[in-house]
Amino acid sequence: MTGYSTVDSFVPGGSTAAMTQHRRTRSPKLGGGNASMMSSNINLLNTIVGAGTLAMPGAMSHFGVLWGALLIVWCGLTSAFGLYLQSRCARYLDRGTSSFFALSQITYPNAAVVFDAAIAIKCFGVGVSYMIIIGDLMPGVAEAFGSVDSGLPFLADRKFWITVFFLVFIIPLSFPKKLDSLKYTSIVALLSIGYLVILVVYHFGADEVPNNRDIRWVTWEGPTAALRSLPVMIFAYTCHQNMFSIVNEIKDNSPASIVGVIGSSIGSAASIYVLVAITGYLTFGNEVKGNIVSMYPPSIASTIAKAAIVILVTFSIPLQIHPCRASIDAVLRWRPGSSRPSGGGTGSQPLLPSGGAAGGGALDSHGAPVVAMSELRFALITSVILVLSYFTALSVETLDTVLAYVGSTGSTAISFILPGLFYYKISDPDSIFHQRLTKEDDDAEYSADDNDDDEESAVVTGSGLLDSVASLGSVISGRGGRRRSKKWRWDLEHLETGLIRKMALGLSIYGACVMVVCLAMNALFSAHH
């Protein structure tokens, strides 16, 4: 039977095929930002890849090479699915308004403040830990450059280096309103990660490895030690606090573009983690420590690696300040009973209330709350976050125990539990939001079908009867086939809503189980120490 190419050949410019493609592909919503797919990918990847890279060899030592590599990939897949669910949830909201708070308003309005408070605490804790890393590594870098003989003892003081980096880098980089503004610093941070990967792989190939070194290839150390390391791998992929900002700011928010950003970012991070974990673990065996760089002998290369880590975490702190600021603003604006929107409207009524928004309801890049954040409010919230982070980093030298609990709770909640619960709730067939989205899709499809009918008439008018019948039959059969069976598509638009809802619920249950297990292991570990 004649295919679409035959129909297209009768119409100049291939308009029938173009309309068929338009009908099959969800068009991006109007509005939004101007961020490119490349800058979105870079910012998301930099949010993912951080200090967790250094702990991957140590985590693998508890699981063994085989199970450790599989677990790294598994954590990447589950995190990617959580990001995908967030992008699906964003379709139910007006373009540029996506956020955890906005979804809470129309799904679990009474718990909206709890969700944003958890996100703010998690991001604040990560930012503080990055400042502590700066204070721990910079004295060693300064010592390698001769600070001991310089007669300047303050160069060996961690508080001095935290203060310097705080004033020179962290403060200026924390005030841009758009996440896309950080794309160039993200490139520098990713170059630092690239250097660390090269260093680990180089030592693996160049260092002489003793034959009696103990390596776990298939076996693991045991359930207690292994499950205690699980939060490290989950935490290493946590970037979901910035996913809605990516969706809001990206210029092309079509499913293919969003899936491309998620797949390339998670795929790149997983490749880096597996490479560093295997080469680092095989270099030192079961003696590997939490920070792989600290195990290399003093040299110019290892000093540069420490400096690269400092650069990495310095440029990653603003990526934590960004969602922390928006979540705190949402918490401060929350009022009991005021977060439930009027969902009974139809037509073009916004899904979220915009009353009280000055200037037509302008939004920040995080998308919530609906009322625009004033310049003064923006500056005050950012300043409070920075000051508290600074003094916390100065007064606390280690946050291992705190970060273990923050990672077990915040990371699993943001990565698994919240995306799953939100999508399961908002995509309910009885939900007015799901019905409205379905109606919009149907209207767009019928409009495209009407255009297809016009194209079919043109085919009948300008062609022979037999060719017209064959071409028309091909188009009709194509419509019916699309409804009866859907082929696999890399943008995942072939997946049915019912199937995704079941998978979303499963992801939430999985996240809750991981949270309980990780908290129990951390509590047990702390009790023994």
Side-chain angles (χ1 to χ4, degrees), residues 9 27 45 50 72 102 116 149 209 215 257 262 265 289 296 301 314-316 374 395 409 441 471 473 487 497:
S9 64
S27 301
L45 179 59
I72 291 175
D116 262 297
D149 302 328
V209 178
I215 294 291
S257 177
I262 295 174
S265 301
K289 297 180 181 178
Y296 296 121
T314 299
F315 289 155
S316 297
S374 66
S395 59
T409 56
D441 291 344
S471 302
K487 295 182 179 180
T497 302

Side-chain angles (χ1 to χ4, degrees), residues 54-69 71-72 214-222 225-226 228-229 232-233 276-278 280-282 284-290 292 295:
L54 308 176
M56 281 297 168
M60 176 169 281
S61 67
H62 301 296
F63 290 96
V65 175
L66 176 61
W67 299 113
L71 192 60
I72 291 175
D214 187 17
I215 294 291
R216 299 187 183 95
W217 293 98
V218 179
T219 59
W220 64 341
E221 183 177 351
R228 201 170 63 238
S229 301
V232 175
M233 297 184 179
V276 172
I278 293 178
Y281 175 53
L282 294 181
F284 297 101
N286 293 328
E287 297 179 358
V288 66
K289 297 180 181 178
I292 183 68
M295 299 197 65

Side-chain angles (χ1 to χ4, degrees), residues 81-82 85-86 89 100 103-104 106-108 111 115 412-428 500-512 515:
F81 184 58
L85 291 179
Q86 289 181 253
C89 289
F100 281 111
L103 285 173
S104 301
I106 60 178
T107 52
Y108 308 98
F115 293 153
T412 53
I414 296 174
S415 302
F416 307 139
I417 300 177
L418 295 187
L421 288 179
F422 282 144
Y423 185 78
Y424 185 80
K425 178 76 172 182
I426 201 172
S427 63
D428 189 333
I500 302 179
R501 292 190 73 233
K502 294 178 181 178
M503 297 173 64
L505 182 59
L507 184 69
S508 296
I509 296 174
Y510 166 76
M515 177 183 292

Side-chain angles (χ1 to χ4, degrees), residues 112-447:
V113 65
V114 178
F115 293 153
D116 262 297
I119 295 171
I121 294 173
K122 183 263 177 188
C123 295
F124 177 82
V126 175
V128 171
S129 69
Y130 285 169
M131 291 188 190
I132 292 177
I133 291 176
I134 294 174
D136 291 341
L137 294 182
M138 276 309 299
V141 175
E143 181 180 356
F145 284 95
S147 63
V148 178
D149 302 328
S150 63
L152 301 175
F154 60 85
L155 294 178
D157 185 5
R158 60 182 300 271
K159 296 182 178 179
F160 168 77
W161 288 110
I162 293 177
T163 303
V164 169
F165 275 79
F166 178 78
L167 295 176
V168 177
F169 297 106
I170 297 174
I171 290 181
L173 293 175
S174 299
F175 278 90
K177 291 188 176 182
K178 291 291 185 180
L179 193 67
D180 187 53
S181 304
L182 303 175
K183 58 186 176 183
Y184 298 111
T185 58
S186 295
I187 293 176
V188 176
L190 292 179
L191 291 177
S192 302
I193 281 291
Y195 177 80
L196 295 178
V197 174
I198 294 175
L199 178 70
V200 174
V201 175
Y202 168 77
H203 278 281
F204 168 70
D207 293 354
E208 183 177 354
V209 178
N211 295 328
N212 59 351
R213 184 192 47 193
D214 187 17
I215 294 291
R216 299 187 183 95
W217 293 98
V218 179
T219 59
W220 64 341
E221 183 177 351
T224 302
L227 293 177
R228 201 170 63 238
S229 301
L230 181 60
V232 175
M233 297 184 179
I234 296 176
F235 184 81
Y237 284 104
T238 304
C239 60
H240 302 65
Q241 66 272 15
N242 279 335
M243 183 59 194
F244 285 125
S245 293
I246 296 294
V247 174
N248 291 338
E249 295 182 19
I250 192 170
K251 184 176 182 180
D252 178 13
N253 72 324
S254 62
S257 177
I258 298 298
V259 171
V261 170
I262 295 174
S264 56
S265 301
I266 293 292
S268 300
S271 301
I272 293 173
Y273 290 156
V274 171
L275 180 61
V276 172
I278 293 178
T279 54
Y281 175 53
L282 294 181
T283 301
F284 297 101
N286 293 328
E287 297 179 358
V288 66
K289 297 180 181 178
N291 188 340
I292 183 68
V293 176
S294 65
M295 299 197 65
Y296 296 121
S299 64
I300 297 179
S302 61
T303 301
I304 296 176
K306 293 178 181 179
I309 297 174
V310 172
I311 295 174
L312 169 67
V313 299
T314 299
F315 289 155
S316 297
I317 290 175
L319 295 177
Q320 302 296 329
I321 299 293
H322 190 81
C324 183
R325 174 177 53 231
S327 295
I328 290 178
D329 180 57
V331 170
L332 295 177
R333 292 185 188 274
W334 182 82
R335 297 293 183 274
S338 63
S339 58
R340 184 180 299 274
S342 55
T346 58
S348 59
Q349 180 181 355
L351 298 186
L352 294 177
S354 57
L363 299 168
D364 65 9
S365 60
H366 190 67
V370 178
V371 181
M373 193 186 309
S374 66
E375 296 291 339
L376 178 61
R377 188 182 185 91
F378 181 92
L380 287 176
I381 294 178
T382 305
S383 300
V384 170
I385 295 173
L386 290 173
V387 171
L388 291 178
S389 301
Y390 172 71
F391 284 106
T392 303
L394 290 182
S395 59
V396 181
E397 295 187 2
T398 175
L399 285 180
D400 290 345
T401 303
V402 176
L403 285 182
Y405 286 101
V406 171
S408 301
T409 56
S411 294
T412 53
I414 296 174
S415 302
F416 307 139
I417 300 177
L418 295 187
L421 288 179
F422 282 144
Y423 185 78
Y424 185 80
K425 178 76 172 182
I426 201 172
S427 63
D428 189 333
D430 296 330
S431 168
I432 184 175
F433 305 104
H434 182 72
Q435 293 173 3
R436 184 178 301 167
L437 181 65
T438 303
K439 181 179 182 300
E440 293 175 357
D441 291 344
D442 289 342
D443 290 342
E445 179 178 331
Y446 292 150
S447 176

